[in-house]
Amino acid sequence: MSSATPAAAPDVTNPDVVLVVDFGAQYAQLIARRVREARVYSEIVPSTMPVAEMLAKNPKAIILSGGPSSVYAENAPRLDRAIFEAGVPVFGMCYGFQLMATTLGGTVDNTGAREYGRTPLHVSKAGSTLFEGTPVEQSVWMSHGDACSAAPEGFAVTASTDVVPVAAFENDEKKLYGVQYHPEVLHSTHGQQILEHFLYRGAGIEPSWTTGNVIEEQVAAIRAQVGDKRAVCGLSGGVDSAVAAALVQKAIGSQLTCVYVDHGLMRKGETEQVEKDFVASTGVNLKVVDAQERFLTALAGVSDPETKRKIIGREFIRVFEQAQLEILQEEGPEVAFLVQGTLYPDIVESGGGTGTANIKSHHNVGGLPDDIEFELVEPLRQLFKDEVRMVGQELGLPEEIVQRQPFPGPGLGIRIVGEVTKDRLDLLREADAIAREELTAAGLDREIWQCPVVLLADVRSVGVQGDGRTYGHPIVLRPVSSEDAMTADWSRLPYDVLARISTRITNEVEDVNRVVLDITSKPPGTIEWE
């Protein structure tokens, strides 16, 4: 049975849908998220979708994303002119802005005068639809090589930079708008205000979409997809799978059985927490499978991170298939669906976004085996982590679950750089527990996104402990701050907290004599080491 995403909710559920046309931008989903933050529902569609299909969705507005191409490149994405003549408000950003300009008769030059990063923007029409109420001088985030030198006929030029004469234009009559920069990123100081001006003033949309709408839409979609069949959910104890399970249970109730796989790759005390906290808060039917030996045997001798991820993904599915047989024997009806807490960053990093590269296979995306026998139910796959937390709160899940820091599905298996063994897992569990205890004691749990603790199992360094020479492993602390896991910066933790963590780990964890701090941002590094 081939995998599938949740059925789309009927259009009547979202009368004010905004389409984000993805031209291969790394920020396409971020644009959709910013639209949702403005309390307007959004969906992403590929630039290859025919305009007729886009218009058939009855969008209230269309946003054209940026992208890595030049409008002059031979294979650059194009767009039918009809999209600008359909009477639907359109907002072009970066590449989308240039594409609008060239399609409608403006001029875009490949001058070689590039702008990247923070750039001063000079607003020439402060009272325009987009810029009213914003400063005439503001900082924006640029990322382009080509530049617009002449706006199409009927468009008013509303902003420029020292390099680009046409950095924004507007046509109120046709409700067409565009900016050369990226208003969706936080570095554009008034970007969200500009976007909301387009939505509210340019497109005339009323802000009414909430996380409650997400629940309503997905409950309807899940019921339509699953019908009267049964589903199993891979419960990891993390936020994503917990919210996905709670959402599916709301939709189909007792047709759902949650399966918690104790693969031996969890952090200290987490298995007990899952069995106690989640069941207590939801009343869901939970089946616990002890598969520690199975996973350790499958991972024996394997050091390559991508191979480890694929092995873990494969073994998860095999365990679920066994659980399916047992549930069939116990309860009868067919178990045809597998519920997963897949999020959009998982899709992007696994190469599932338009024009994106495969950075690493997540166990629930690129790590799934080709012969999977379940149809997938993934109600969160278009959401970011903070949106998932809001949905969890709306569903009534306890704070201990909703606010838990992210933890990868493959668990500690990808936080051991090298072969995964029981001894190494036990060592890493103790170091991780110490780091978490100290961060909690310092009140920093909400200040950071997460703090992976990594064991460099194939590395040893010389140390001195008890007046003797040691040759132990390094432990890496990776505290990061992020809004959505698409980008991240290392967290500037207080030195005294770092010192306590280091002292305790080197004193209390056998065979560790060094603690180091990872101060790499994302990009270029990912949050997890593997």
Side-chain angles (χ1 to χ4, degrees):
M1 186 178 297
S2 62
S3 62
T5 56
D11 286 341
V12 294
T13 308
N14 301 301
D16 293 337
V17 61
V18 171
L19 297 184
V20 177
V21 181
D22 184 3
F23 290 98
Q26 60 176 318
Y27 295 134
Q29 182 70 13
L30 185 56
I31 297 171
R33 177 170 172 239
R34 296 301 185 212
V35 174
R36 295 175 195 171
E37 287 178 357
R39 297 182 61 201
V40 176
Y41 179 71
S42 61
E43 291 180 4
I44 296 177
V45 296
S47 61
T48 54
M49 176 181 283
V51 169
E53 288 186 26
M54 295 183 193
L55 298 178
K57 291 177 173 288
N58 299 315
K60 289 291 184 179
I62 295 173
I63 296 176
L64 310 180
S65 83
S69 301
S70 164
V71 291
Y72 294 111
E74 182 178 349
N75 297 319
R78 306 295 180 200
L79 202 58
D80 192 328
R81 183 187 179 97
I83 199 169
F84 304 114
E85 300 172 342
V88 178
V90 181
F91 186 20
M93 301 177 178
C94 197
Y95 180 82
F97 166 76
Q98 295 176 358
L99 194 60
M100 182 186 294
T102 55
T103 302
L104 296 178
T107 303
V108 174
D109 300 311
N110 192 345
T111 63
R114 303 179 178 183
E115 287 180 314
Y116 294 101
R118 287 187 177 88
T119 304
L121 182 77
H122 316 300
V123 178
S124 55
K125 293 187 180 299
S128 72
T129 297
L130 294 184
F131 291 104
E132 183 175 359
T134 68
V136 294
E137 299 290 330
Q138 50 189 275
S139 180
V140 299
W141 190 259
M142 289 284 192
S143 180
H144 68 93
D146 299 341
C148 183
S149 58
E153 184 178 352
F155 283 74
V157 177
T158 53
S160 63
T161 72
D162 293 340
V163 173
V164 178
V166 183
F169 54 46
E170 305 181 21
N171 186 326
D172 284 319
E173 181 182 353
K174 295 184 177 180
K175 296 190 180 301
L176 302 178
Y177 306 87
V179 297
Q180 176 59 71
Y181 59 93
H182 288 275
E184 72 275 19
V185 303
L186 295 177
H187 302 297
S188 293
T189 52
H190 296 274
Q192 184 67 15
Q193 192 174 355
I194 302 301
L195 177 59
E196 290 178 1
H197 281 173
F198 166 70
L199 296 171
Y200 305 157
R201 304 178 70 211
I205 300 174
E206 293 291 330
S208 60
W209 185 78
T210 67
T211 51
N213 299 130
V214 174
I215 295 172
E216 293 173 6
E217 295 156 13
Q218 287 304 322
V219 164
I222 293 163
R223 286 173 178 165
Q225 182 185 7
V226 176
D228 61 357
K229 295 181 180 179
R230 295 189 59 80
V232 291
C233 176
L235 193 65
S236 69
V239 179
D240 308 335
S241 64
V243 174
L247 192 50
V248 173
Q249 188 195 33
K250 182 177 178 66
I252 63 174
S254 60
Q255 292 168 245
L256 173 69
T257 298
C258 287
V259 178
Y260 173 73
V261 178
D262 185 1
H263 49 26
L265 306 176
M266 299 299 285
R267 294 182 292 190
K268 188 174 182 179
E270 286 187 318
T271 296
E272 295 77 11
Q273 183 186 50
V274 169
E275 292 187 78
K276 177 175 62 73
D277 292 346
F278 186 74
V279 173
S281 62
T282 64
V284 74
N285 179 27
L286 179 64
K287 183 181 183 68
V288 178
V289 180
D290 185 351
Q292 296 184 55
E293 287 301 321
R294 176 176 186 150
F295 276 80
L296 284 175
T297 299
L299 290 167
V302 178
S303 295
D304 177 70
E306 187 72 0
T307 303
K308 285 195 286 188
R309 285 178 174 272
K310 289 184 180 297
I311 288 172
I312 293 168
R314 181 195 70 208
E315 293 305 313
F316 258 104
I317 296 302
R318 298 292 89 99
V319 171
F320 282 127
E321 288 174 342
Q322 181 59 41
Q324 177 192 28
L325 292 175
E326 294 174 4
I327 294 169
L328 280 171
Q329 293 172 356
E330 296 167 4
E331 303 178 31
E334 180 185 3
V335 180
F337 297 90
L338 171 61
V339 180
Q340 293 198 136
T342 307
L343 304 191
Y344 187 72
D346 300 337
I347 303 297
V348 171
E349 290 194 337
S350 296
T354 304
T356 56
N358 184 353
I359 298 171
K360 58 186 177 184
S361 294
H362 288 258
H363 78 284
N364 53 349
V365 186
L368 294 176
D370 294 333
D371 60 345
I372 179 175
E373 295 184 358
F374 296 105
E375 184 174 341
L376 299 183
V377 179
E378 297 178 312
L380 309 177
R381 67 181 284 125
Q382 293 298 326
L383 301 181
F384 284 95
K385 181 74 72 173
D386 59 334
E387 294 176 317
V388 172
R389 293 191 199 281
M390 289 188 286
V391 170
Q393 290 172 330
E394 188 82 17
L395 289 168
L397 291 177
E399 287 288 298
E400 293 79 10
I401 292 177
V402 173
Q403 295 301 332
R404 187 180 181 211
Q405 291 182 3
F407 185 61
L412 298 180
I414 58 167
R415 291 184 178 175
I416 294 176
V417 180
E419 182 184 2
V420 179
T421 67
K422 185 178 185 305
D423 289 344
R424 290 175 172 181
L425 285 166
D426 290 341
L427 184 157
L428 180 54
R429 260 190 280 270
E430 292 302 319
D432 176 88
I434 290 170
R436 286 189 291 146
E437 287 172 11
E438 291 298 335
L439 290 172
T440 299
L444 295 172
D445 286 342
R446 298 289 187 91
E447 300 299 318
I448 63 174
W449 176 262
Q450 67 186 114
C451 183
V453 178
V454 181
L455 170 64
L456 303 185
D458 290 343
V459 177
R460 286 185 177 271
S461 64
V462 174
V464 178
Q465 290 171 301
D467 296 327
R469 178 185 185 276
T470 62
Y471 197 50
H473 296 290
I475 284 286
V476 180
L477 303 180
R478 174 73 165 133
V480 295
S481 300
S482 180
E483 190 176 62
D484 49 37
M486 297 298 291
T487 59
D489 194 13
W490 65 280
S491 300
R492 275 64 167 176
L493 298 181
Y495 290 154
D496 59 336
V497 175
L498 292 172
R500 284 197 301 271
I501 293 173
S502 176
T503 299
R504 285 195 58 194
I505 288 176
T506 53
N507 284 349
E508 299 175 28
V509 182
E510 189 176 354
D511 211 21
V512 173
N513 64 0
R514 193 178 298 271
V515 175
V516 300
L517 179 66
D518 183 347
I519 59 171
T520 313
S521 63
K522 175 187 178 180
T526 54
I527 293 177
E528 299 290 346
W529 272 49
E530 294 199 334

